[in-house]
Amino acid sequence: MTTAAVPRGNGEEARPDGRSPRSVLGKVGLILSAFGDGDLALSLTELTARTGVAKATVHRLCQELVACEMLERDGSDYRLGLLLYSIGLRAPRQRTLRHAARPALENLAQALDSPVSLSVPNGSELLCIDNAGRHRNRAGASIGGRLLQLHSTAPGKLTLALLPEQYPLARLTPHMRRMTARTLTADRLPGELVRIQEQGYATDREEHRLGYSAVAVPVRGPRDGAYLGALSVVAPSARQNVPRTLAALRTASEAVTTRLSVIEAYRAEP
């Protein structure tokens, strides 16, 4: 009988007995997964503490990962290498969705003069696979960035509402942080998710970052209408026009679904 894994504090999984995987591949996975969204670099000591793997083993594996460009040296610390990013973009589902969404993202960012992001469910997180807009590096999600505090962002709350089985609140609430004074508390979140399910979109009114608000709508598959990801716009609260932004987002989302349909039809041709 296999033993179920239990979540670590940073969203990763470890065995209940606290021991690390015996295989080299399992230990490499723990090292690469140890980097959180806000971690530019981690020391050998931090990697050892987060993985539970022996320090000498972590050091040896990090040296090998640097050699194959999956990690990079940052002084005495380590950071994720660009090879991981380039490999991730080759994943068929994400590559196809990113290709289909790119024109819509660019048009939307230009029309609204705001950062636009496309995020997809990734385990217990959201992964930003593309963005557009002049101010995307200041206010929007970075490509490859992970959203961990899903309850405080528009795309995060949208995902919680539309994928309740993959993102159960019982697992989320113990790790919820109040990012601002406006961040929803655990007792208010369920009601918010019901409203999102009913209205079909989500908003973030300075719940993640003071001075900025966001709106997110789902991108759905052309065949079964499955939720593929969240298309979101973030802007300074003073100039965020929710009805206008929502209308533009819905038009862009429909365009992405239509383009996905065309791509699938083209690939299905003999």
Side-chain angles (χ1 to χ4, degrees):
M1 181 178 67
T2 57
T3 305
V6 295
R8 287 176 181 259
N10 58 1
E12 298 137 22
E13 291 187 342
R15 291 168 52 175
D17 58 13
R19 291 181 296 167
S20 302
R22 293 183 179 180
S23 71
V24 172
L25 184 59
K27 293 173 183 177
V28 167
L30 285 180
I31 291 172
L32 297 179
S33 300
F35 290 85
D37 189 42
D39 296 322
L40 297 180
L42 293 175
S43 67
L44 181 61
T45 300
E46 289 171 321
L47 286 171
T48 300
R50 293 189 183 189
T51 61
V53 178
K55 189 171 185 178
T57 302
V58 173
H59 180 264
R60 175 176 57 81
L61 292 176
C62 283
Q63 297 301 105
E64 295 180 9
L65 289 169
V66 168
C68 65
E69 300 182 349
M70 288 190 177
L71 288 181
E72 297 175 353
R73 292 299 301 266
D74 183 11
S76 60
D77 296 340
Y78 298 92
R79 62 189 180 196
L80 294 175
L82 289 177
L83 179 61
L84 287 175
Y85 170 68
S86 63
I87 290 174
L89 292 181
R90 296 172 200 159
R93 181 173 66 89
Q94 293 184 9
R95 185 175 66 238
T96 300
L97 179 57
R98 188 170 185 260
H99 175 67
R102 188 62 201 173
L105 261 68
E106 293 178 346
N107 291 338
L108 191 60
Q110 184 174 10
L112 298 177
D113 191 28
S114 297
V116 181
S117 299
L118 177 64
S119 304
V120 298
N122 180 52
S124 61
E125 310 162 345
L126 277 183
L127 179 69
C128 177
I129 62 172
D130 205 358
N131 59 25
R134 293 189 298 117
H135 310 296
R136 61 185 183 275
N137 292 330
R138 232 179 344 176
S142 58
I143 298 177
R146 294 179 291 173
L147 298 181
L148 302 176
Q149 297 295 321
L150 302 185
H151 66 290
S152 64
T153 66
K157 290 192 293 181
L158 183 68
T159 302
L160 291 175
L162 299 183
L163 297 178
E165 294 184 358
Q166 182 174 340
Y167 296 85
L169 289 184
R171 186 177 64 191
L172 170 76
T173 49
H175 306 290
M176 287 176 57
R177 291 170 48 203
R178 297 211 70 186
M179 308 302 290
T180 75
R182 296 175 179 265
T183 304
L184 294 181
T185 53
D187 61 317
R188 294 178 56 196
L189 185 59
E192 173 78 351
L193 299 184
V194 170
R195 282 191 292 273
I196 292 171
Q197 291 171 349
E198 294 173 347
Q199 65 193 17
Y201 69 93
T203 58
D204 152 24
R205 302 178 186 274
E206 301 191 9
E207 296 161 41
H208 191 72
R209 182 180 176 187
L210 288 177
Y212 288 89
S213 299
V215 184
V217 302
V219 175
R220 297 191 177 276
R223 294 186 181 180
D224 55 6
Y227 175 60
L228 301 180
L231 190 61
S232 59
V233 171
V234 60
S237 299
R239 67 178 183 85
Q240 178 72 278
N241 184 321
V242 173
R244 175 173 177 258
T245 300
L246 180 59
L249 273 168
R250 283 175 166 164
T251 298
S253 176
E254 292 172 1
V256 175
T257 299
T258 299
R259 197 152 189 255
L260 280 171
S261 180
V262 172
I263 292 173
E264 289 185 3
Y266 174 79
R267 290 178 174 175
E269 292 180 358

